[in-house]
Amino acid sequence: MEGVLQTRGLLSLPSKPKIKAFYPLPQGGLRNRFNSLSSLKPNPFNGVSLSSNGFQKVQGFDTKPQLFGQKKRCFPICKAEAAAAAADGQPLFVEKGQPKFMGIELVTLKKIIPLGAMFFCILFNYTILRDTKDVLVVTAKGSSAEIIPFLKTWVNLPMAIGFMLLYTKLANVLSKEALFYTVILPFIAFFGAFGFVLYPLSNYFHPTAFADKLLNTLGPRFLGPIAILRIWSFCLFYVMAELWGSVVVSVLFWGFANQITTVDEAKRFYPLFGLGANVALIFSGRTVKYFSSLRSSLGPGVDGWAISLKGMMSIVVMMGGAICFFYWWVNRNVALPTRSKKKKVKPNMTTMESLKFLVSSKYIRDLATLVVAYGISINLVEVTWKSKLKAQFPSPNEYSSFMGDFSTATGIATFTMMLLSQWIFDKYGWGAAAKITPTVLLLTGVGFFSLLLFGAPLAPTLAKFGMTPLLAAVYVGAMQNIFSKSAKYSLFDPCKEMAYIPLDEDTKVKGKAAIDVVCNPLGKSGGALIQQFMILTFGSLANSTPYLGGVLLVIVLAWLGAAKSLDGQFTQLRQEEDLEKEMERASLKIPVVSQNENGNGPLSSGSSLNPAEGDSTNASSEPSSPRSL
């Protein structure tokens, strides 16, 4: 490392020059004068003493470090001037730093800017795909929102498992770059083909007549499962859109980001990615709104939804190309950071082992309750809300236009909550932050289900505001989804991850593995299974609405109870951790010792020695003897 010795003139002297003894220079030169006192060990040189600032007294001339390519020349430098520079806190050796822009190194910006652009494009596409998939399967002829629970359980889950098995096989034979392109390009090709080929020709290969025959035979209770067969290409689009969120976002992007960034860079810039994601949510919501409103400018007899779908899928393909370009550029222009070859041992727990571990720990049980309760609650409300949304907006363009506004509002609310989350944590603590999400779900859920069950008596009052009970229920359900999702991203997820921090390493690793194996799938599919049971028992979602409201109330109350219990345990563990840190800091304090007549013994019990700070307390005093400190 190239260094330059800083000087302030060869003849400069300290403001208060002192007469100092000189002893032979130890091997190693100037740097030995700045070794910490804690590294000094007993040695046979009894005559060597320490100066008042804790450094060894050496001869007054040192040599300038030799630069590469120079002949060996000696430059005597006055020791008094070097000591003055050190006393003023100026570094004797200055490293040549990397070039920076706005305080950030250009090497870091070469990674962070393309990563941020990739994340924006991925989330932009995901919002368009998420809104479009709901429109396709909910508003299709012969289908309804009742298809979603069956689709998530019997189509989405098996295909996700199959995809991950295939991904594991490909990861063993392909390089990381080839694996990225192999995974993402089929997604881009499918969405482009769907907009321009599959959807326009869907009337020719959908088995509509066969589905009608099955529905007449089995009855309307089996409308959901039969609709999967009736609109199988739309269901395939639904699954691919779901996989885009889990595969491209979680596996491809975050795997690549963790590969090229350091821990310090991740701490600084990963939170900004979350804010950028919500900006993408706002813009993509406006895009969906724009293409959904094109129908008003089209002539009679033109399928407005087909035109909107082509426009949105064209943007998805262009954004996918941009993602591939940024990935290619980073791989060609950014050097990968060095990694430790030591691998962390992750427990490979089976489902039964995970269940046993969950049962054995109250802390982990409460944390698992939070995860499962959120998954079930959001599914119970979301599907019921979408069924009312279709009743209010039966046209695909109207439905899609509303979902565009919904995505924009969700992005704004989440962005605002992320800015407020730090203040909430600082002022009210972990417990209050953990209870906000279930409280929001409870209050908005009561209003939503009350409008569904008791909307008729409220009709005259709502009419004064220009709303019907159905429209009011749609708006309240939208508010519930907006606030619950924003609270989830800004408060629930940070609370869940923070809860692992004070645990011991064994419980932390095993507990996270158990929750990943058992609770995440249970939370995602639990709500869908409850709805399937209700639909098959009572005939439809409308008939099962009172029972779904009761189930939601029980689950949210259990969620609040688990959050309260976990708050007490979390606070206790944090206090214990803080106490341990204080004890460790106290044990690291080293008392100053001096030599008595026999050469050992304490000098004073109330002082400590810190050579890095210099002689701040006894700067004006000289050592009493060469053998004393």
Side-chain angles (χ1 to χ4, degrees):
M1 181 166 50
E2 184 178 350
V4 180
L5 190 61
Q6 302 292 318
T7 63
R8 297 183 304 167
L10 293 177
L11 300 179
S12 62
L13 295 171
S15 57
K16 295 181 180 180
K18 302 174 184 178
I19 300 174
K20 300 183 182 248
F22 296 99
Y23 295 91
L25 176 66
Q27 186 176 0
L30 183 64
R31 65 178 181 178
N32 281 281
R33 299 176 56 220
F34 296 93
N35 287 337
S36 70
L37 193 61
S38 59
S39 64
L40 294 180
K41 297 180 180 179
N43 55 72
F45 301 101
N46 268 341
V48 178
S49 67
L50 298 177
S51 66
S52 60
N53 60 2
F55 301 131
Q56 286 186 358
K57 295 180 178 179
V58 297
Q59 285 190 1
F61 294 95
D62 298 313
T63 59
K64 182 177 180 179
Q66 206 71 26
L67 298 180
F68 182 75
Q70 285 185 340
K71 294 181 180 180
K72 188 173 182 181
R73 299 172 62 188
C74 183
F75 298 90
I77 300 175
C78 182
K79 175 192 171 182
E81 180 230 320
D88 289 344
Q90 300 176 357
L92 294 180
F93 289 92
V94 179
E95 297 184 12
K96 185 178 180 181
Q98 296 286 344
K100 295 183 178 181
F101 177 75
M102 297 180 65
I104 304 174
E105 294 182 352
L106 293 181
V107 176
T108 302
L109 288 178
K110 287 174 65 177
K111 292 186 286 187
I112 298 304
I113 293 178
L115 278 178
M118 282 181 64
F119 198 53
F120 180 90
C121 295
I122 291 172
L123 267 296
F124 190 96
N125 277 359
Y126 179 59
T127 305
I128 292 178
L129 297 173
R130 184 185 62 188
D131 294 344
T132 305
K133 70 179 176 64
D134 289 333
V135 176
L136 284 171
V137 299
V138 172
T139 63
K141 186 178 179 180
S143 179
S144 67
E146 295 174 0
I147 191 178
I148 295 178
F150 298 94
L151 192 56
K152 285 186 174 181
T153 304
W154 306 111
V155 181
N156 191 28
L157 184 60
M159 287 195 66
I161 294 174
F163 182 88
M164 295 312 297
L165 292 175
L166 178 62
Y167 180 85
T168 304
K169 296 290 185 182
L170 292 175
N172 295 330
V173 297
L174 297 176
S175 65
K176 290 183 178 179
E177 187 172 357
L179 180 63
F180 184 92
Y181 295 126
T182 303
V183 172
I184 196 172
L185 289 178
F187 280 96
I188 300 172
F190 172 80
F191 293 129
F194 184 86
F196 290 90
V197 179
L198 292 179
Y199 182 81
L201 300 177
S202 60
N203 292 330
Y204 295 99
F205 50 76
H206 280 175
T208 305
F210 179 67
D212 290 336
K213 185 178 179 180
L214 282 178
L215 186 61
N216 293 331
T217 303
L218 300 177
R221 294 186 179 185
F222 291 88
L223 174 66
I226 294 174
I228 295 176
L229 177 64
R230 181 193 299 272
I231 53 171
W232 64 267
S233 65
F234 298 173
C235 295
L236 182 59
F237 183 94
Y238 186 99
V239 173
M240 293 293 285
E242 286 281 334
L243 288 177
W244 178 275
S246 58
V247 173
V248 179
V249 177
S250 302
V251 178
L252 295 185
F253 174 77
W254 285 116
F256 179 57
N258 293 334
Q259 176 190 354
I260 68 172
T261 56
T262 63
V263 175
D264 292 335
E265 291 169 343
K267 289 179 180 179
R268 292 178 63 189
F269 297 106
Y270 277 12
L272 298 181
F273 290 165
L275 296 177
N278 291 284
V279 174
L281 201 64
I282 296 171
F283 281 98
S284 56
R286 291 295 87 197
T287 303
V288 173
K289 176 78 172 179
Y290 169 76
F291 282 104
S292 300
S293 62
L294 285 178
R295 183 181 181 184
S296 59
S297 61
L298 299 175
V302 179
D303 188 355
W305 175 238
I307 301 298
S308 302
L309 198 59
K310 288 180 181 179
M312 289 187 289
M313 292 305 104
S314 299
I315 292 181
V316 168
V317 171
M318 288 189 293
M319 287 291 187
I323 295 167
C324 294
F325 169 76
F326 288 125
Y327 181 82
W328 173 87
W329 189 89
V330 170
N331 277 282
R332 296 297 181 277
N333 296 278
V334 176
L336 298 181
T338 56
R339 305 289 187 189
S340 173
K341 296 184 178 180
K342 184 178 179 181
K343 296 183 178 180
K344 294 182 179 180
V345 179
K346 184 177 180 180
N348 187 14
M349 302 175 69
T350 64
T351 303
M352 290 305 299
E353 290 172 344
S354 301
L355 287 172
K356 291 179 181 178
F357 188 81
L358 287 173
V359 173
S360 63
S361 171
K362 186 176 187 301
Y363 192 96
I364 299 298
R365 283 201 309 272
D366 290 337
L367 188 55
T369 303
L370 265 62
V371 175
V372 174
Y374 175 81
I376 294 177
S377 301
I378 199 66
N379 274 286
L380 288 179
V381 176
E382 193 172 29
V383 176
T384 306
W385 172 63
K386 287 177 181 177
S387 68
K388 303 303 176 183
L389 187 60
K390 181 193 176 182
Q392 180 65 37
F393 303 107
S395 168
N397 273 290
E398 293 176 351
Y399 191 107
S400 178
S401 177
F402 183 88
M403 291 302 295
D405 291 333
F406 170 80
S407 296
T408 301
T410 303
I412 295 173
T414 306
F415 189 89
T416 305
M417 286 295 295
M418 282 187 168
L419 297 178
L420 293 175
S421 60
Q422 186 64 45
W423 175 77
I424 294 174
F425 277 112
D426 292 340
K427 185 172 181 62
Y428 299 103
W430 186 94
K435 294 173 185 175
I436 287 178
T437 307
T439 303
V440 168
L441 268 170
L442 179 62
L443 296 178
T444 54
V446 169
F448 176 69
F449 283 100
S450 298
L451 284 170
L452 295 182
L453 297 175
F454 313 109
L458 297 175
T461 305
L462 294 174
K464 296 179 181 179
F465 299 96
M467 291 190 297
T468 63
L470 178 60
L471 183 60
V474 167
Y475 285 150
V476 173
M479 290 175 57
Q480 181 182 48
N481 278 270
I482 290 169
F483 291 135
S484 61
K485 288 182 182 295
S486 61
K488 191 257 186 185
Y489 297 143
S490 59
L491 295 174
F492 179 81
D493 287 344
C495 283
K496 181 186 68 174
E497 297 304 325
M498 287 170 61
Y500 291 109
I501 295 176
L503 296 174
D504 62 87
E505 195 63 28
D506 185 61
T507 306
K508 183 187 302 182
V509 176
K510 289 184 178 180
K512 192 166 183 61
I515 290 176
D516 289 342
V517 170
V518 177
C519 300
N520 279 336
L522 184 59
K524 292 178 180 179
S525 61
L529 291 173
I530 292 173
Q531 288 166 335
Q532 292 176 48
F533 173 77
M534 295 288 185
I535 292 170
L536 296 177
T537 303
F538 300 103
S540 67
L541 276 177
N543 296 335
S544 58
T545 298
Y547 307 98
L548 290 175
V551 172
L552 177 66
L553 179 62
V554 172
I555 290 174
V556 173
L557 290 178
W559 184 356
L560 286 169
K564 182 179 179 181
S565 173
L566 194 61
D567 182 26
Q569 299 175 74
F570 178 79
T571 303
Q572 182 178 358
L573 288 176
R574 287 294 306 276
Q575 291 173 349
E576 293 175 358
E577 186 180 26
D578 292 341
L579 181 60
E580 290 176 358
K581 289 180 180 179
E582 290 293 334
M583 294 176 65
E584 289 177 1
R585 282 195 290 266
S587 66
L588 289 176
K589 291 182 179 179
I590 304 175
V592 176
V593 295
S594 67
Q595 297 171 340
N596 55 20
E597 296 177 357
N598 298 325
N600 52 26
L603 175 67
S604 62
S605 59
S607 60
S608 60
L609 188 61
N610 189 354
E613 296 176 358
D615 190 11
S616 60
T617 56
N618 298 315
S620 61
S621 63
E622 291 291 337
S624 58
S625 69
R627 295 175 55 86
S628 64
L629 296 179

